[in-house]
Amino acid sequence: MLQEENIYNLIPREEVKPPKPARYTSKFKQMAREERQEGKSGYKTMGQAKVPVPTTDNFLKKHSKEPKLPPREHVFAGEPFTYPDADRRRPPVPHKEDKPLMGLRTTKNFITNNAVGNIMSVPKKPDKNFVDTRGGDKWPLDPSGLEPKFIHKKDFGQTPGYLVKRNKEVIRAQEEYEAYIAEHFRRGAMKQLSEAERQVILAGLKANWEEIHHQYQGLSVVTDTVPKKNRKERMEAEMKQLERDIETIEKHKVIYIAN
Amino acid sequence: MAAQSPIANGDDPGSLQRLSLIGFDGTIPGGLIVHPDRQNLIYGLGDTVIIEDIGTQEQVLLSEHTNKVTTIAVSKSGKYIASGQMTYMGFAADVIIWNYAERVKHCKCSLHKVKIEALAFSPNDLYLVTLGGQDDGSIIVWNIETKQAICGAPAQVLSAGSASCVVFANNRDDLFVSAGLGTLRVWTLDVTNRKIRPEEVSMGQLKRDIRCMQMSDDDSFVYCGTTTGDLLGINVGSKMFQYIGPEKERFSKGVTAMALLKNGEILVGAGDSTVATVKGKDNAFKRTKKSKKLNQAGEVTSIALRGEGHQFFCGTSKSHIYQFNHSEFKETLVRTAHYPAITDIEFPYGTSELFGTSSFQEICIWHRATTQELRRIVVPNMTCNAIAFSRDGKYIASAWSDASVRFFLPESGKFIFDIKQAHKREVTALALTPDGMHVISGGGEGQVRVWKIKECYTNKGKTYTNELVGEMKEHKATVSCIKVTEDGKSCVTASKDGTCIMWDLERFVRSQIIFANTQFNCVCFYHGQNQQPCQIIASGTDRKIGYWETFDGSTIREVEGSLSSDINGMDITADGKYFVTGGADKLIKVWSYDDGKVTHVGKGHAMAVTKVKICPNSQYIVSVSEDGAIYIWSFPH
C-alpha cells in the first residue's frame, strides 16, 4: 500500500496554483549586449581608426604563400630512387640499341610460328553456364551443383581409405586389448590340471585301491579280536575314500588346483 | 395528513432554512421534465415537485401535496405545471396546477380518488386532462382558467384493463388519446356541450399494455410504447392501428419512456436501462445504431428533451439522472440519489464537508457543499442498516442485514474485511470506539457485542482480524441505536424492547438501565459542564423525549416530541445546548436542551424522517427520509 486511504482525502480541495516564477532573464544580458555592440562598432566605421604601418622588412616573399610539404624522411639526398621490390624484379627488356651478346641472333620467325601455333591450337571449349531465368543472368554450371559430378568419381560409393584404415586400427586395438585382458586373467587364474596329469593321478588312485582291496580280500573270515576289527574298518574307510576321490576326478574333466 | 402545529408547547418556533436537497424520484413515469425555457429541470420527490436550475442547481420546492406525487406534466408554453398524487383508499387524490412563473399553486383539482395516473395539457394551455388510477377509472377535463372541471367519463370500457397514460394533440385543443392495458381511445372534446366522446382504436388481434405515448407534431400519428418492448403506430385520423415494431429486436423489459425528435426518430428508454433511437420507416419501426445501455441504472422512466433534443436527460428508476448528447449519443451521469429508504447518516469525525449515507444495497459518501456523490459502495441485495467512520478516517464500518459487519476503504471503496455472522439476526446498530479499535454492534435479536479489530501485516500487505471480546445479552428486542462516550469506556444502547442500557465496556456489564413504555429509536448523551456524559435523552414510538440521569437512571423530564407520530432520529450538539429530532411526522425540530422547547421547525420532507444529524461544527443539520431524500438545513444557533 503506497499511501493509506483516508476519508478526509475525499474532501474536494481548491487547487492552489503556485504563482508562476518570473520570466527568465539572463544575468549576462547586459554584458552580451555590450559585447555585441563593441564587436560591431569597429567595422561600422570606415575602418579601424589607426592601422599599423607595414614595416620594410615584412615584404611579400616568393613562394611564401605556397603550402609547405613535410620533408621526405626515407629518401636521402643524392641516392637514386628505388622501388621497394627492386631485388625481386626481372632484368629489364633489352633496349633496341643494345648489341646482342656475342652477336648471336635467333632465326625463329615469330610471326609464322605464332600463326601456325594459332592454327593448330585446339579451339577453346565454351564455358558451361546456366541461365536462371529467361533473359536473366548466366552463372557457371560447374560450382552450381546442377551437373552430376561426384557420382562419376572413381571412388564414388566406396568407403574412403581413411575410414578403412581407421576401422582396421579399431579392430586391431580391440584384439590387442582382448589379448591383454585374457593374458591378465590367465596370469591371475588358478592352475589347471592337464589331462595327462589327471590320468596319472587317476591311475595312481586306482592302483592304491587295488592294493588295499587285495589285502582286504586276504583278511581272515572271522574278525574276532579288536585289532582285526579295527584293521578291517580302517581298510574299508580307506577304500571308500579312494573310491570317492576316483569318482570326483572322473566326474570332472577340468580341474583347477587352488593356490 | 392535515397540516398540524409542530409546536409541542410554548412560543411560535422559527422555521429552518433549507440549503439543499439531494433526491429524485425515478419511479414516476415521465417524471423528469425539462421546462420549455430550457433552463430548469422539473421532477418529483415524495410529495414535492422540485424545479431545479440546470446551471446553478438552485431548487424551488412546490410542496402542497399530502402524499407521494405520482405524475407530473408541464404545459407546452411552460406556463403551468400539473402534478398528481396518490392517497389512501377511498380518499380524494388531488391534482395541483402550479403557476410556473410565480412558483405558486394555481389551483387544486380534486375529483379523482386514490391515485392520479397521468396528466396532459392542451396545446394552448386551455384544458388539463387528468386520468385516474385503477380504483378511480375516470378521465376528467378541467378548464385551467376557471379552475373548474368541464366533464368526465369512464376512461375505458369495463371489459378492458385500466388506462395508464394520456397524451394531448399538439395543434388542437379538442383531441386527446388515452391508452393502457388493452385500451386505446381517441377522445374528442366538445366544450359547449360539456362532453368528451371516445372512439376505440381498432387493434385487431393485437393485445398490448401501453405505458407511454407520444403524439406526432402534425397530430396524424400516435406512437405507443408497450410492456412487450415494441412500439405501435396508430393513425389518429382513421383510428386504426397501422404498424408495430421493431420486429425481432424488441426492447427488453418493455418500453418505459419515449420522446419524439424533430428528425422523425423516436428516442426510446427501456426497462433494461437501454436508451436507443428508433426510426419509423416504410410502415415499420427500425432500431438505429444509436443505442446505449446504462450501467446499473434500472428502468429508464423518463426522457426529457432540452429544446429540440440536441441534449436530453434520462431519469431512471434507481434515481440516476443522465445527460445525453444526441449527436455523439454519449451520456454523463449528472445526478445520483438514493432510491430506497435511507437508513443511516454519519459524518466523519471533525469534518462537516463530507457525510455518508446508507440504504438498501449501497453506501454513499456525499460532499455537502456541492451535494455531489463522491463515492458509492454497493453490496448487492443487502441493506446497510448503519455506518460509522473511524476517527482516523482509515475505514468505514457498516452493519448489514445479512448479519455481517463489513469494512471498506474510504477512498477506493474497496472491501477490506468483514465480521461474518456477527449476530444471529441482522446487524441493526453500530458504533466505533474513539480509538477505532473496537466495534460495538447491536443485533436484531437484542445482543450487543464488542469486537476488537487487529491489524496485522503479512506478505499480502495489511490485513485485519477480529475477535469477539464482549457479549452483552440484556435487550430482548432489536437494538436500534448505540452511542459511545468520548473516553470509550462506556456506551448506551437503545432497544425496541423499551429499555436503554448503559454498559461498562471494561467489564462488559450493565451499569444502568432505563425502562419506558415505548420502542426506543434513538438515544444521545448530554455532556454537562465537566464534559462528562451526565444525562441521556432518548425517544421512540411513544413520541416523548425523555431525559435521564446516567448516574442512577432516574427520570429528569419528559417532553412531548411530536403530536402525531414516532420519533426516529435524534442528535445533539457538541456543547449540549440544542438537539434535533426527526420523525414520521416529516418534521425536523430543533430543541433547546435546557428549556425542552422547540426553537425551529424544518418542513419539507415528503416521507418519514429516518435519521437526523448535526454536523460536527454545528453549522448544518442533515436529515434523511424513507423516500431516499437527503435534506441539508442550516443550523439556526
Side-chain angles (χ1 to χ4, degrees):
Chain A
M1 212 177 285
L2 295 171
Q3 170 120 35
E4 276 202 54
E5 294 194 9
N6 201 310
I7 186 84
Y8 302 107
N9 296 344
L10 281 179
I11 300 173
R13 287 184 194 83
E14 283 216 5
E15 277 192 23
V16 183
K17 279 189 181 170
K20 264 189 174 179
R23 207 169 96 175
Y24 172 76
T25 47
S26 170
K27 59 182 175 182
F28 302 109
K29 194 175 170 184
Q30 189 59 29
M31 202 166 84
R33 186 182 288 160
E34 280 168 7
E35 274 179 4
R36 190 179 152 83
Q37 213 59 28
E38 260 176 26
K40 262 187 181 173
S41 55
Y43 300 100
K44 264 186 177 174
T45 61
M46 298 293 286
Q48 282 170 307
K50 272 197 173 180
V51 180
V53 181
T55 53
T56 50
D57 57 341
N58 194 18
F59 58 90
L60 185 64
K61 293 175 189 79
K62 194 159 86 178
H63 302 303
S64 65
K65 287 192 172 175
E66 286 176 3
K68 274 180 185 160
L69 294 172
R72 299 176 71 169
E73 287 157 10
H74 61 282
V75 178
F76 299 102
E79 277 186 26
F81 173 76
T82 52
Y83 285 101
D85 58 344
D87 51 339
R88 296 192 303 276
R89 287 184 168 225
R90 283 189 286 186
V93 177
H95 199 259
K96 69 173 182 186
E97 283 168 9
D98 285 355
K99 290 268 169 57
L101 191 70
M102 314 263 303
L104 288 175
R105 272 172 177 263
T106 181
T107 55
K108 194 175 180 181
N109 187 346
F110 283 95
I111 296 170
T112 325
N113 258 12
N114 285 348
V116 168
N118 273 333
I119 290 161
M120 299 299 286
S121 68
V122 183
K124 195 189 151 206
K125 277 187 183 171
D127 290 339
K128 281 185 170 180
N129 287 324
F130 78 96
V131 180
D132 51 3
T133 55
R134 192 178 60 169
D137 296 327
K138 67 177 185 181
W139 306 92
L141 186 63
D142 191 36
S144 69
L146 292 171
E147 204 178 28
K149 195 164 68 177
F150 293 99
I151 61 163
H152 296 311
K153 281 201 169 178
K154 225 192 289 171
D155 55 352
F156 177 78
Q158 287 174 0
T159 317
Y162 77 95
L163 272 184
V164 175
K165 206 170 135 193
R166 190 171 166 276
N167 284 347
K168 272 183 189 163
E169 268 174 16
V170 167
I171 290 164
R172 194 177 53 77
Q174 187 67 28
E175 277 170 357
E176 268 181 14
Y177 175 74
E178 277 167 8
Y180 166 74
I181 293 289
E183 175 64 24
H184 182 78
F185 268 102
R186 201 170 46 76
R187 210 177 287 157
M190 289 174 293
K191 196 190 167 218
Q192 192 187 354
L193 210 59
S194 69
E195 186 58 32
E197 283 169 331
R198 182 167 158 267
Q199 290 302 334
V200 168
I201 291 166
L202 211 55
L205 286 172
K206 280 179 179 170
N208 286 350
W209 184 84
E210 203 70 38
E211 195 184 336
I212 295 168
H213 188 253
H214 182 72
Q215 288 174 10
Y216 185 77
Q217 290 294 333
L219 288 177
S220 61
V221 179
V222 181
T223 47
D224 45 358
T225 60
V226 173
K228 270 187 188 174
K229 185 188 167 210
N230 284 350
R231 190 165 178 243
K232 189 190 173 195
E233 278 178 358
R234 196 194 72 231
M235 284 168 88
E236 275 170 355
E238 275 178 356
M239 266 168 28
K240 194 132 207 176
Q241 180 62 45
L242 281 169
E243 274 165 23
R244 228 183 279 140
D245 289 348
I246 288 164
E247 198 187 359
T248 310
I249 288 174
E250 273 184 335
K251 203 157 96 183
H252 300 98
K253 290 267 172 185
V254 182
I255 295 166
Y256 291 98
I257 299 160
N259 295 333
Chain B
M1 234 166 283
Q4 53 187 262
S5 164
I7 334 155
N9 43 18
D11 313 346
D12 215 13
S15 69
L16 274 180
Q17 189 199 351
R18 188 180 50 83
L19 295 175
S20 48
L21 160 61
I22 307 166
F24 161 62
D25 186 357
T27 57
I28 304 173
L32 178 73
I33 303 166
V34 178
H35 191 266
D37 69 3
R38 304 184 185 187
Q39 266 312 306
N40 289 283
L41 274 176
I42 297 162
Y43 55 88
L45 172 66
D47 67 358
T48 322
V49 177
I50 299 167
I51 304 170
E52 182 183 309
D53 194 300
I54 293 173
T56 62
Q57 301 191 351
E58 247 172 63
Q59 293 163 331
V60 176
L61 269 65
L62 308 175
S63 37
E64 296 255 346
H65 283 290
T66 54
N67 209 321
K68 187 178 174 314
V69 172
T70 53
T71 175
I72 303 173
V74 178
S75 72
K76 204 176 178 188
S77 65
K79 197 174 167 193
Y80 298 108
I81 301 171
S83 57
Q85 69 168 94
M86 59 185 280
T87 180
Y88 304 103
M89 195 55 123
F91 289 88
D94 296 335
V95 174
I96 296 180
I97 305 175
W98 310 86
N99 190 322
Y100 176 75
E102 290 154 25
R103 316 264 155 109
V104 292
K105 184 169 82 174
H106 175 72
C107 67
K108 188 192 230 174
C109 316
S110 45
L111 279 176
H112 288 289
K113 280 185 174 170
V114 186
K115 189 184 177 190
I116 310 292
E117 197 72 46
L119 302 164
F121 278 99
S122 77
N124 298 319
D125 295 355
L126 297 178
Y127 313 113
L128 173 74
V129 180
T130 60
L131 178 64
Q134 197 171 12
D135 303 301
D136 181 65
S138 64
I139 193 160
I140 298 174
V141 182
W142 306 80
N143 189 325
I144 296 172
E145 197 145 345
T146 61
K147 308 176 184 179
Q148 295 294 319
I150 297 171
C151 56
Q156 63 273 319
V157 292
L158 285 173
S159 59
S162 63
S164 58
C165 50
V166 62
V167 65
F168 226 105
N170 284 315
N171 307 309
R172 296 167 57 185
D173 278 322
D174 61 345
L175 182 87
F176 59 92
V177 182
S178 73
L181 174 58
T183 171
L184 183 52
R185 287 176 142 189
V186 179
W187 301 76
T188 43
L189 171 65
D190 186 354
V191 181
T192 47
N193 294 325
R194 298 175 76 100
K195 274 253 185 305
I196 43 174
R197 297 190 180 88
E199 263 188 277
E200 290 286 340
V201 172
S202 93
M203 301 281 284
Q205 292 291 315
L206 202 68
K207 284 201 165 47
R208 287 289 186 272
D209 185 358
I210 296 166
R211 284 300 159 90
C212 50
M213 263 196 303
Q214 289 288 324
M215 181 82 83
S216 67
D217 284 342
D218 54 357
D219 295 345
S220 59
F221 267 90
V222 166
Y223 302 107
C224 311
T226 70
T227 52
T228 324
D230 43 24
L231 300 175
L232 309 176
I234 309 293
N235 191 325
V236 178
S238 62
K239 278 101 183 165
M240 294 287 279
F241 156 70
Q242 285 216 326
Y243 49 94
I244 184 168
E247 278 298 315
K248 292 184 180 173
E249 37 186 14
R250 293 195 193 101
F251 292 95
S252 183
K253 297 186 177 176
V255 175
T256 47
M258 283 168 75
L260 280 186
L261 294 172
K262 286 280 176 234
N263 60 3
E265 288 180 348
I266 308 168
L267 268 174
V268 172
D272 65 343
S273 58
T274 301
V275 179
T277 56
V278 168
K279 214 172 230 179
K281 200 177 165 190
D282 307 332
N283 278 354
F285 293 105
K286 279 241 168 80
R287 280 174 85 153
T288 65
K289 282 187 177 172
K290 285 182 174 173
S291 177
K292 190 135 253 183
K293 190 159 182 185
L294 305 171
N295 184 22
Q296 304 255 330
E299 283 177 31
V300 179
T301 50
S302 44
I303 297 177
L305 303 182
R306 192 176 186 185
E308 305 286 304
H310 57 94
Q311 191 184 57
F312 59 92
F313 292 87
C314 287
T316 72
S317 62
K318 286 195 175 174
S319 298
H320 294 188
I321 299 179
Y322 292 88
Q323 185 178 352
F324 267 82
N325 185 331
H326 183 257
S327 57
E328 295 163 19
F329 221 69
K330 239 182 193 171
E331 85 282 16
T332 43
L333 181 63
V334 290
R335 192 64 57 79
T336 53
H338 283 290
Y339 62 97
I342 301 178
T343 51
D344 197 11
I345 175 168
E346 194 68 46
F347 279 93
Y349 182 73
T351 179
S352 307
E353 288 304 298
L354 304 173
F355 60 89
T357 53
S358 66
S359 72
F360 175 62
Q361 294 189 345
E362 54 197 21
I363 298 172
C364 287
I365 313 282
W366 304 88
H367 185 223
R368 185 204 50 78
T370 58
T371 65
Q372 288 293 315
E373 178 189 299
L374 297 173
R375 289 293 176 278
R376 176 174 289 229
I377 299 164
V378 178
V379 178
N381 290 331
M382 310 293 168
T383 304
C384 181
N385 287 325
I387 55 168
F389 295 99
S390 70
R391 284 208 177 177
D392 55 3
K394 296 274 170 63
Y395 58 83
I396 305 170
S398 52
W400 292 83
S401 60
D402 63 340
S404 57
V405 178
R406 291 187 170 87
F407 294 80
F408 298 95
L409 287 178
E411 278 183 73
S412 59
K414 270 186 195 157
F415 171 79
I416 322 172
F417 77 109
D418 59 354
I419 305 172
K420 288 194 181 76
Q421 295 298 317
H423 286 273
K424 284 204 185 92
R425 290 161 74 177
E426 58 186 312
V427 187
T428 51
L430 186 79
L432 293 173
T433 53
D435 62 358
M437 287 294 103
H438 290 85
V439 179
I440 303 159
S441 63
E445 80 284 7
Q447 288 191 9
V448 179
R449 291 180 172 177
V450 183
W451 311 82
K452 191 177 169 75
I453 309 296
K454 292 175 189 163
E455 292 175 359
C456 51
Y457 291 88
T458 63
N459 52 359
K460 282 178 192 166
K462 195 170 172 184
T463 56
Y464 293 87
T465 55
N466 59 276
E467 187 193 347
L468 178 66
V469 290
E471 199 173 9
M472 299 172 286
K473 307 177 184 175
E474 294 261 346
H475 287 300
K476 299 286 182 291
T478 305
V479 179
S480 53
C481 184
I482 303 175
K483 288 278 158 70
V484 187
T485 56
E486 278 297 308
D487 56 5
K489 285 177 182 163
S490 59
C491 72
V492 63
T493 58
S495 170
K496 297 274 186 191
D497 61 358
T499 57
C500 273
I501 301 181
M502 285 202 62
W503 304 94
D504 184 343
L505 288 182
E506 284 167 333
R507 295 181 294 139
F508 304 114
V509 291
R510 179 182 96 189
S511 59
Q512 209 58 252
I513 187 163
I514 292 150
F515 293 98
N517 189 15
T518 177
Q519 296 182 348
F520 280 117
N521 282 330
C522 46
V523 64
C524 284
F525 275 116
Y526 167 75
H527 295 85
Q529 297 295 331
N530 52 359
Q531 294 302 312
Q532 288 300 310
C534 55
Q535 291 172 13
I536 56 170
I537 47 172
S539 187
T541 50
D542 67 345
R543 317 193 294 273
K544 290 190 176 62
I545 301 167
Y547 292 51
W548 286 279
E549 218 41 274
T550 57
F551 177 66
D552 55 359
S554 60
T555 309
I556 303 165
R557 176 198 283 170
E558 255 188 3
V559 293
E560 192 82 6
S562 165
L563 288 176
S564 58
S565 46
D566 46 350
I567 290 174
N568 292 330
M570 179 194 274
D571 197 22
I572 192 164
T573 57
D575 58 7
K577 282 184 183 162
Y578 300 97
F579 66 93
V580 184
T581 59
D585 57 0
K586 310 173 191 176
L587 299 175
I588 307 295
K589 291 179 190 170
V590 181
W591 301 74
S592 158
Y593 188 87
D594 293 336
D595 303 339
K597 280 181 185 170
V598 179
T599 64
H600 288 80
V601 173
K603 288 185 210 170
H605 271 290
M607 287 175 82
V609 177
T610 50
K611 281 273 158 37
V612 59
K613 270 268 149 58
I614 300 170
C615 80
N617 58 12
S618 300
Q619 286 186 325
Y620 310 101
I621 300 166
V622 179
S623 57
V624 293
S625 61
E626 277 177 5
D627 55 357
I630 304 170
Y631 279 68
I632 302 172
W633 314 83
S634 111
F635 189 68
H637 299 289

